């Protein structure tokens, strides 16, 4: 084992490695170094802790095309979340008029003109599958763009960060306030800011429960103390989680708690667009004055750290791809502004694929970003996503608005009547999936000589068809008794349900008639 007394060096795996900072942009993978963080002082000894304490992230305000797009997405998503429960939709006098409603009590899901019943859960499953494939598509095309713009954790974290700027000021002011001792002024400022946190968290939880009941009625009952206990519990839990995750934990959720950064690595390759620092152009770093005094010796990066200061997760994109990068591209806005100010071309940090980076580093011309999206992998994802969407639309457009479910009694399977005839009992569920009552007729097909009656129709009125009225948007349960002549054997027969209105529809179901075995 080699011995070394130089504190700037560490013996690791029998190899003497330097503790001095070395840029990851210029160090080869086999470089004898343990450090790639040039903004930190040299470490003199081996770390003793298994984890590093969190360092508060005070991101700086920035303006640019990506920041404005992030503003747009935030406003649109929050407007949809908070405003959707208040949109009204006329479905007639027998159905709720809330445009989007998860009616757990009646087991319905309403979305504008669409009504999903429990037996149609495949529509919900299809939407969830489309959401998953959509995430695969976005990740394979532009990395973690979902995380950077539309993820709820990102959106609410962005809201809380804007609250910080409103109350405490921009980055430097917040850093000074954090380092300042606790005075009454600081306590009052913190109390005011955290009160805004609670207000945002409260309305976030309040908006959520409105999706499960009529919004105006629920708000009225909520403030009068007449709402169900589960409503108050849900609001309290969501207020706590929103404030905790978005107001205090923030980037820690993205880096440590969320499984998506780990999963997404399997969906990205060298053809995926990622936010990339072009180290071959930026290194070695040097100030504008140094570059002017030594032409050709320094790259375009002037080590201003603006890209780090605007990052909502506090990472340094110049250290290469890392799990903390949510691809929000705010570092691109910051770097482009600096490049413009010092008269150098934009794009030192930019969306680029690894293939294009290699081509550009070798002196070639990179492709336009939109061309990187048109590749087999993304097209396959898009094709699958579109196919599922069209299949759901087709199923939605061709589905029937009535349904029939048949459940035969198992104990006893049949009864012998005094005249030798055989009786079976069935439970029929007649489902009316429209917003008005419907007249329906149930008819037997097969089972020669068979007739049926119900618990509300006398046996004397038994016939091969019976008429029923099914209320709007309800399922009517009918107890049916089917009788067949003596000597009838076990056989299958069919119940057919038909409507007697201007929109005729039919539904049928086959069931088994049980009888004694022939000797």
């Amino acid at each position: 084992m080699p011995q070394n007394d130089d504190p700037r060096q560490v013996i690791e795996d029998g190899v003497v490695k330097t503790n001095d900072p070395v840029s990851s942009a210029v160090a080869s993978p086999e470089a004898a170094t343990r450090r790639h963080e040039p903004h930190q002082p040299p470490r003199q000894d081996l770390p003793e802790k298994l984890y590093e304490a969190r360092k508060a992230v005070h991101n700086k305000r920035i303006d640019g095309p990506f920041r404005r797009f992030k503003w747009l997405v935030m406003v649109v998503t929050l407007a949809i979340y908070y405003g959707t429960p208040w949109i009204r939709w006329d479905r007639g006098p027998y159905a709720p008029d809330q445009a989007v409603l998860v009616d757990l009590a009646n087991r319905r899901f309403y979305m504008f003109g669409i009504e999903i019943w429990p037996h149609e859960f495949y529509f919900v499953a299809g939407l969830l599958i489309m959401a998953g494939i959509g995430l695969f598509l976005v990740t394979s095309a532009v990395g973690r763009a979902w995380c950077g713009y539309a993820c709820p954790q990102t959106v609410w974290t962005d809201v809380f960060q804007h609250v910080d700027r409103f109350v405490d000021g921009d980055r430097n002011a917040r850093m000074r306030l954090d380092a300042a001792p606790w005075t009454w002024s600081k306590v009052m400022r913190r109390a005011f800011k955290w009160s805004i946190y609670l207000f945002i968290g409260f309305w976030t939880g309040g908006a959520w429960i409105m999706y499960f009941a009529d919004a105006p009625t629920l708000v009225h009952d909520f403030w009068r103390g007449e709402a169900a206990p589960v409503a108050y519990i849900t609001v309290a839990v969501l207020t706590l989680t929103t404030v905790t995750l978005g107001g205090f934990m923030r980037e820690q959720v993205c880096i440590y708690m969320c499984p998506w950064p780990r999963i997404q690595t399997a969906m990205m390759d060298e053809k995926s667009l990622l936010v990339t620092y072009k180290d071959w152009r930026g290194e070695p770093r040097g100030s504008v004055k140094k570059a002017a005094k030594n032409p050709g010796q320094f790259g375009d990066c002037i080590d201003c750290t603006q890209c780090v200061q605007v990052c909502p997760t506090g990472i340094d994109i110049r250290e290469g791809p890392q799990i903390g990068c949510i691809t929000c591209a705010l570092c691109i806005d910051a770097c482009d502004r600096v490049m413009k100010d010092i008269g150098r071309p934009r794009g030192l940090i930019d969306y680029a694929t690894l293939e294009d980076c290699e081509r550009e580093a070798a002196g070639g011309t990179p492709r336009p970003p939109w061309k990187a999206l048109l590749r087999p992998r993304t097209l396959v994802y898009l094709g699958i996503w579109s196919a599922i969407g069209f299949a759901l639309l087709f199923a939605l457009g061709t589905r029937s608005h009535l349904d029939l479910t048949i459940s035969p009694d198992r104990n006893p399977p049949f009864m012998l009547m005094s005249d030798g005839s055989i009786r079976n009992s069935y439970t029929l569920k007649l489902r009316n999936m429209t917003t008005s009552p419907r007249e329906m007729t149930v008819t037997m097909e097969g089972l020669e000589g068979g007739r049926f009656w119900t618990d509300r129709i006398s046996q004397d009125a038994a016939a091969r068809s019976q008429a029923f009225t099914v209320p709007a948007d309800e399922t009517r349960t009918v107890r049916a008794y089917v009788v067949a002549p003596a000597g009838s054997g076990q056989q299958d027969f069919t119940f057919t349900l038909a409507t007697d209105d201007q929109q005729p529809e039919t539904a049928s179901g086959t069931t088994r008639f049980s009888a004694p075995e022939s000797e």
Side-chain angles (χ1 to χ4, degrees):
M1 177 77 61
Q3 300 294 325
N4 184 39
D5 297 328
D6 190 343
R8 294 174 302 174
Q9 296 179 341
V10 173
I11 300 174
E12 188 175 275
D13 298 329
V15 178
V16 178
K17 296 185 177 181
T18 179
N19 237 343
D20 291 334
V22 178
S23 170
S24 60
V26 297
S28 63
E30 299 81 13
T33 176
R34 302 179 68 252
R35 297 280 317 284
H36 282 179
E37 297 83 19
H39 59 282
Q40 296 180 357
R43 186 186 303 136
Q44 300 299 326
D45 50 18
L46 294 174
E48 298 180 356
K49 296 182 179 180
L50 296 178
Y51 64 93
E52 186 177 8
R54 183 200 178 207
K55 296 179 181 178
V57 175
H58 300 289
N59 60 322
K60 185 178 180 180
R61 181 186 289 109
I62 186 63
D63 183 42
F66 292 105
R67 175 63 261 186
R68 289 191 288 270
F69 180 68
K70 194 174 175 68
W71 269 111
L72 174 64
V73 173
M74 184 181 71
V75 171
V76 170
T77 52
L78 291 179
I80 292 174
Y81 176 74
Y82 290 115
T84 297
W86 297 95
I87 302 175
R88 303 293 98 183
W89 191 269
D90 186 10
R91 299 185 180 91
Y94 303 98
D97 64 350
Q98 186 161 309
V100 178
L101 176 65
V102 182
D103 189 354
L104 295 178
N106 297 303
R107 296 184 297 174
R108 304 284 190 278
F109 173 52
Y110 299 94
M111 180 178 288
F112 298 96
I114 302 172
E115 179 182 354
I116 304 299
W117 287 59
H119 71 285
E120 296 177 314
F121 187 78
Y122 56 85
F123 283 111
V124 178
L127 290 176
L128 293 176
I129 293 173
M130 288 186 66
I133 295 177
L135 281 176
F136 299 163
L137 172 61
V138 171
T139 302
S140 66
V142 288
R144 295 176 63 188
W146 159 262
C147 300
Y149 295 98
C151 174
Q153 172 65 22
T154 297
V155 171
W156 266 276
T157 295
D158 203 18
V159 171
F160 285 119
Q161 287 175 338
H162 290 305
V163 171
D164 291 348
R165 294 192 187 96
F166 172 74
V167 176
D168 297 336
D170 205 6
R171 183 173 186 269
N172 292 336
R174 297 200 306 274
M175 293 175 67
R176 288 194 299 268
L177 184 62
D178 274 1
W182 283 91
T183 62
W184 277 111
S185 175
K186 183 174 180 178
V187 169
M188 296 302 295
R189 190 183 292 269
R190 283 289 187 265
F192 176 59
K193 182 173 72 172
W194 292 342
S195 297
I196 299 177
Y197 284 7
L198 287 174
F199 178 80
I200 295 172
F202 174 77
W203 281 109
T204 299
W208 177 256
I209 63 173
M210 293 177 196
Y211 285 89
F212 298 88
D214 181 66
T217 304
L218 179 59
V219 170
H220 177 269
D221 293 344
F222 187 92
W223 289 110
R224 289 174 60 91
E226 299 173 357
V230 68
Y232 298 100
I233 295 173
T234 301
V235 171
V237 171
L238 290 180
T239 299
L240 177 63
T241 54
T242 301
V243 172
T244 301
L245 299 181
F248 294 102
M249 296 186 67
R250 300 188 179 181
E251 78 286 346
Q252 290 181 299
V253 176
C254 303
I255 297 174
Y256 301 110
M257 294 176 60
C258 181
W260 186 240
R262 283 82 180 167
I263 299 172
Q264 58 127 16
T265 55
M267 286 172 277
M268 295 190 300
D269 55 23
E270 65 279 357
K271 299 179 184 294
S272 300
L273 279 173
L274 303 175
V275 175
T276 305
Y277 168 64
K278 300 178 180 179
D279 53 0
W280 65 90
R281 173 184 157 186
E283 301 298 327
R285 306 169 194 173
S287 66
V288 176
K289 292 182 178 180
K290 287 183 178 180
K293 293 179 179 179
N294 303 279
Q297 295 187 15
F298 294 95
D300 285 344
C301 180
I302 62 173
D303 206 15
C304 62
T305 70
Q306 292 295 306
C307 56
V308 181
Q309 296 179 31
V310 301
C311 180
T313 61
I315 69 164
D316 188 344
I317 191 62
R318 297 173 298 176
E319 296 176 5
Q322 49 201 289
I323 202 169
C325 179
I326 59 174
T327 322
C328 64
L330 297 185
C331 54
I332 298 179
D333 286 338
C335 188
D336 285 351
R337 172 179 290 187
V338 172
M339 292 297 104
K340 180 180 179 181
D341 291 342
I342 64 176
R344 297 177 185 176
R346 67 160 302 276
L348 177 59
I349 302 175
D350 205 358
Y351 270 107
T353 68
L354 293 180
E355 284 188 346
D356 287 338
C357 286
E358 293 177 357
R359 183 182 299 110
E360 188 174 353
T365 302
R367 297 177 302 169
W370 65 268
K371 286 189 177 181
L373 304 178
L374 302 178
R375 61 190 183 99
R377 186 172 182 175
T378 56
L379 294 178
V380 168
Y381 281 141
L382 180 61
I384 297 174
W385 185 86
S386 301
I388 296 175
F390 283 123
L392 291 177
L393 290 175
F394 178 80
L396 189 65
T398 59
R399 70 172 179 167
S400 176
H401 292 86
L402 77 162
D403 188 60
L404 173 64
T405 302
I406 308 168
S407 301
D409 282 2
R410 299 300 182 187
N411 188 21
F414 61 88
M415 293 184 65
L416 292 176
M417 311 301 286
S418 59
D419 61 356
S421 59
I422 307 167
R423 193 190 82 179
N424 282 198
S425 300
Y426 301 87
T427 299
L428 307 181
K429 291 186 177 181
L430 317 181
R431 188 174 290 116
N432 176 17
M433 295 187 290
T434 65
T435 56
S436 60
R438 304 185 81 177
E439 298 294 330
M440 302 183 183
T441 301
V442 178
T443 304
M444 290 178 55
E445 297 180 1
L447 191 60
E448 187 69 25
R451 297 170 300 150
F452 79 100
W453 70 97
T454 72
D455 51 359
R456 296 190 179 184
I457 301 174
S458 66
Q459 185 174 354
D460 296 337
R464 290 190 65 81
S465 65
Q466 301 287 352
F468 304 92
T469 298
V470 182
D473 200 35
E474 288 189 17
T475 298
R476 178 172 176 178
T477 300
V478 175
R479 183 73 171 166
Y481 304 98
V482 177
V483 63
S488 298
Q490 295 191 27
Q491 56 187 292
D492 293 335
F493 72 100
T494 301
F495 280 115
T496 298
L497 179 64
T499 57
D500 303 325
D501 51 26
Q502 296 179 351
Q503 297 179 342
E505 293 180 306
T506 61
S508 61
T510 301
T511 188
R512 185 76 170 171
F513 184 81
S514 300
E517 295 183 2
S518 303
E519 296 183 358

